């Protein structure tokens, strides 16, 4: 029985910042961002977006053409959850009017809980082949203003339906794992921004990659040359290149640097223009590879490395299915990414500094351009979500109005 990805879609906010503008304001050579870390543009969520609205927007697209009564499990993977108790999956379940006979949970392990969600989904479908699992990975990657991590910020969500009738990719059951208790990146409950030891986190990432690959080889006897392309967790796009060269060196791959680049480069494009989206980042890399490739990738084997600081890693493989292109909304995605609104530096600061009241006071969010769902505000300590009628949305004026208004 084949089990894998039946549908996959992504959502990124309508707004973003060109890193040329950030470089100018941080007095940094733009080449450091553009070449050194490989970033050009970062997605910035508007004040009426959070992980739930982004996740619901991605999931609505992933559910198109899927019978909702087949979905018995919704798993929401996130680092930037909105509640200590209630799963974000329940809000999405309601926004998408999914059937009540459904289990709905949230999972956490930094950026890699989405991959554990995927492997739990594969196991669920193997046990109950008629059931489908909706996975949502949604995150806002946020660092301190003027910190080294600032240019790697981003936001977005990926949703996938996992089933025994995959149309995009079959995923193998074997996984190479690695866990080690380290403090490379973490976020205490009282902090809105991650604490990170950046250089150390890169070392830990590479170490986890080596261990996961070794464990995967022990489980499967796979060789580096069994894979045609690779997708890595992308905190910034250059990390994917660094990781791939590291693994190739470690394996004495014997490929030219051009051949190695061709194995990884197509997966980096979306990250360069959206930034980090933690749990969603690896799967945006997969979409980038599938969307932006002149070659037909049917039957090609893809190696995946998922990394979550703290830390846990997973290496696994998948095989692209014939006809996958017909089930990707590649041109709609390209249009959405192209038509995003470029924020000024002042607008970026005002979006960054906006926060919901910390005391639970009632609050209405200003309306911005978003997808089909938005966060309308807070009432009696509860987040209120609403559907956005098609065509409704804010003009550039409301962005300016917010920029002029003091943060809450
Ligand atoms: N022109 C071209 N390149 C330049 C340059 C210039 N003018 N100036 C600097 N560079 C290059 C540097 O040589 C360096 O390249 P190498 O990595 O090849 O040496 C690169 O640009 C970055 O420069 P620095 O190392 O000096 O950059 P930095 O100290 O400002 O910070 C960072 C880089 C540590 C990645 C920082 O962005 C950060 O802390 N990011 C957040 C943490 C992170 O992403 N960690 C990754 C692993 S953890 C993870 O994956 C989980 C997760 O999602 C967070």
């Amino acid at each position: 029985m084949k089990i894998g990805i039946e549908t996959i879609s992504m959502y990124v906010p309508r707004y973003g910042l060109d890193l040329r503008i950030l470089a100018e304001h941080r007095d940094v050579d733009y080449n450091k961002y553009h070449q050194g870390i490989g970033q050009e543009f970062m997605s910035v969520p508007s004040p009426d977006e959070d992980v739930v609205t982004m996740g619901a927007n991605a999931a609505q697209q992933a559910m198109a053409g899927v019978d909702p009564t087949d979905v018995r499990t919704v798993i929401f993977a996130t680092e930037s959850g909105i509640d200590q108790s209630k799963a974000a999956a329940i809000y999405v379940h309601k926004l998408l009017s999914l059937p009540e006979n459904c289990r709905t949970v949230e999972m956490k392990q930094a950026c890699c809980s989405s991959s554990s969600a995927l492997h739990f989904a594969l196991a669920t479908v193997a046990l109950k082949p008629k059931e489908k699992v909706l996975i949502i990975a949604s995150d806002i990657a946020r660092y301190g203003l003027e910190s080294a991590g600032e240019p790697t910020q981003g936001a977005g969500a990926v949703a996938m339906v996992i089933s025994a009738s995959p149309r995009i990719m079959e995923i193998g059951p074997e996984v190479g794992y690695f866990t080690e208790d380290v403090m490379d990146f973490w976020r205490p409950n009282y902090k809105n921004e991650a604490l990170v030891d950046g250089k150390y986190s890169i070392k830990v990432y590479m170490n986890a990659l080596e261990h996961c690959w070794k464990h995967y080889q022990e489980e499967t006897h796979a060789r580096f040359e069994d894979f045609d392309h690779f997708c890595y967790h992308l905190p910034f796009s250059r990390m994917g290149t660094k990781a791939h060269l590291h693994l190739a060196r470690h394996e004495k791959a014997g490929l030219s640097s051009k051949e190695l680049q061709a194995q990884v480069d197509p997966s980096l494009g979306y990250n360069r223009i959206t930034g980090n989206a933690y749990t969603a980042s690896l799967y945006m890399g997969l979409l980038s590879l599938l969307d932006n490739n002149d070659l037909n990738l049917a039957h090609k084997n893809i190696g995946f490395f998922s990394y979550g600081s703290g830390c846990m890693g997973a290496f696994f493989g998948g095989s692209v299915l014939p006809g996958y292109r017909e089930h990707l909304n590649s041109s709609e995605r390209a249009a959405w990414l192209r038509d995003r609104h470029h924020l000024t530096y002042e607008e970026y600061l005002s979006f960054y500094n906006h926060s919901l009241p910390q005391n639970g006071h009632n609050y209405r969010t200003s309306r911005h351009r978003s997808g089909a769902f938005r966060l309308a505000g807070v009432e009696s300590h509860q987040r209120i979500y609403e559907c956005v009628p098609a065509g409704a949305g804010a003009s550039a004026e409301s962005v300016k109005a917010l920029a002029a208004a003091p943060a809450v």
Side-chain angles (χ1 to χ4, degrees):
M1 178 173 55
K2 282 190 178 149
I3 307 178
I5 304 172
E6 180 176 330
T7 63
I8 178 167
S9 64
M10 87 183 210
Y11 174 87
V12 293
R14 278 282 194 187
Y15 300 92
L17 183 70
D18 189 322
L19 291 194
R20 270 177 245 264
I21 297 178
L22 189 67
E24 201 181 303
H25 285 268
R26 298 288 173 260
D27 200 18
V28 167
D29 179 357
Y30 174 61
N31 286 328
K32 176 174 176 180
Y33 295 165
H34 189 255
Q35 289 161 18
I37 58 171
Q39 296 308 101
E40 294 171 21
F41 194 81
M42 63 164 142
S43 294
V44 182
S46 60
D48 57 351
E49 288 187 306
D50 65 9
V51 291
V52 168
T53 62
M54 293 193 301
N57 279 309
Q60 189 186 48
Q61 296 167 38
M63 285 298 295
V66 176
D67 181 348
T69 60
D70 290 340
V71 174
R72 292 290 172 83
T73 306
V74 180
I75 311 179
F76 198 110
T78 187
E79 188 272 355
S80 30
I82 53 144
D83 194 286
Q84 297 281 31
S85 173
K86 181 168 172 165
I90 296 185
Y91 294 100
V92 176
H93 176 274
K94 183 178 176 191
L95 288 169
L96 267 54
S97 304
L98 295 176
E100 64 181 16
N101 298 120
C102 189
R103 63 180 163 170
T104 43
V105 292
E106 182 168 315
M107 283 181 61
K108 175 166 70 181
Q109 184 5 65
C111 307
C112 76
S113 57
S114 43
S115 299
S116 294
L118 172 63
H119 295 118
F120 289 149
L122 297 179
T124 299
V125 176
L127 212 58
K128 298 250 187 135
K130 288 190 181 142
E131 294 190 7
K132 300 187 180 188
V133 179
L134 172 62
I135 298 175
I136 299 156
S138 182
D139 265 310
I140 297 172
R142 186 179 155 91
Y143 295 93
L145 290 175
E146 301 183 29
S147 69
E150 187 184 21
T152 71
Q153 292 179 127
V158 167
M160 296 182 270
V161 172
I162 307 303
S163 75
S165 43
R167 294 188 295 192
I168 308 289
M169 175 172 273
E170 180 181 1
I171 307 278
E174 296 85 8
V175 188
Y177 291 117
F178 178 70
T179 289
E180 185 183 24
D181 182 3
V182 288
M183 297 304 277
D184 60 329
F185 167 109
W186 69 105
R187 191 160 66 81
N189 283 348
Y190 51 83
K191 295 251 341 155
N192 287 326
E193 297 87 34
L195 297 170
V196 60
D197 186 341
K199 298 271 193 303
Y200 177 56
S201 71
I202 294 175
K203 280 198 189 129
V204 180
Y205 177 119
M206 297 298 199
N207 185 48
L209 171 60
E210 279 178 32
H211 279 85
C212 288
W213 171 250
K214 184 166 172 280
H215 186 216
Y216 184 75
Q217 280 191 311
E218 287 162 5
E219 295 286 303
T220 62
H221 305 293
R223 294 160 312 152
F224 186 86
E225 50 275 26
D226 291 337
F227 295 101
D228 303 288
H229 291 278
F230 289 77
C231 292
Y232 293 87
H233 167 58
L234 299 174
F236 49 91
S237 74
R238 185 113 189 288
M239 188 74 222
T241 312
K242 275 173 180 278
H244 193 52
L245 297 181
H246 184 82
L247 188 62
R249 255 193 316 273
H250 186 264
E251 287 303 294
K252 303 185 177 53
L255 296 176
S256 68
S257 59
K258 204 171 164 197
E259 286 168 321
L260 289 171
Q261 268 174 3
Q263 289 185 323
V264 72
D265 277 5
S267 69
L268 310 179
Y270 287 163
N271 185 273
R272 286 184 81 88
I273 56 167
T274 62
N276 198 354
Y278 296 157
T279 52
S281 177
L282 174 65
Y283 300 96
M284 284 190 189
L286 169 61
L287 275 171
S288 182
L289 168 68
L290 297 176
D291 282 349
N292 303 304
N293 216 309
D294 294 337
L295 303 172
N296 181 357
L297 297 179
H299 304 295
K300 297 287 183 202
N301 290 329
I302 316 295
F304 292 89
F305 175 60
S306 187
Y307 175 74
S309 289
C311 74
M312 190 206 133
F315 192 98
F316 56 98
S319 177
V320 181
L321 293 168
Y324 68 97
R325 277 200 172 118
E326 293 150 38
H327 309 292
L328 294 170
N329 291 324
S330 308
S331 46
E332 286 89 338
R333 204 155 24 249
W336 180 276
L337 289 166
R338 189 192 56 229
D339 295 344
R340 287 178 297 167
H341 178 87
H342 288 226
L343 297 169
T344 64
Y345 179 69
E346 290 69 29
E347 288 167 348
Y348 158 65
L349 281 188
S350 105
F351 275 21
Y352 181 96
N353 286 324
H354 174 272
S355 70
L356 296 174
Q358 298 299 300
N359 51 14
H361 280 168
N362 291 355
Y363 180 75
R364 302 299 295 174
T365 53
S366 47
R367 182 180 287 278
H368 297 270
R369 290 169 72 212
S370 63
F373 306 101
R374 65 182 290 274
L375 171 65
V378 178
E379 274 172 39
S380 310
H381 298 274
Q382 299 169 29
R383 286 187 187 220
I384 309 297
Y385 294 101
E386 66 184 17
C387 301
V388 179
S395 63
E397 276 64 50
S398 64
V399 183
K400 292 203 177 76
L402 184 84
V408 179

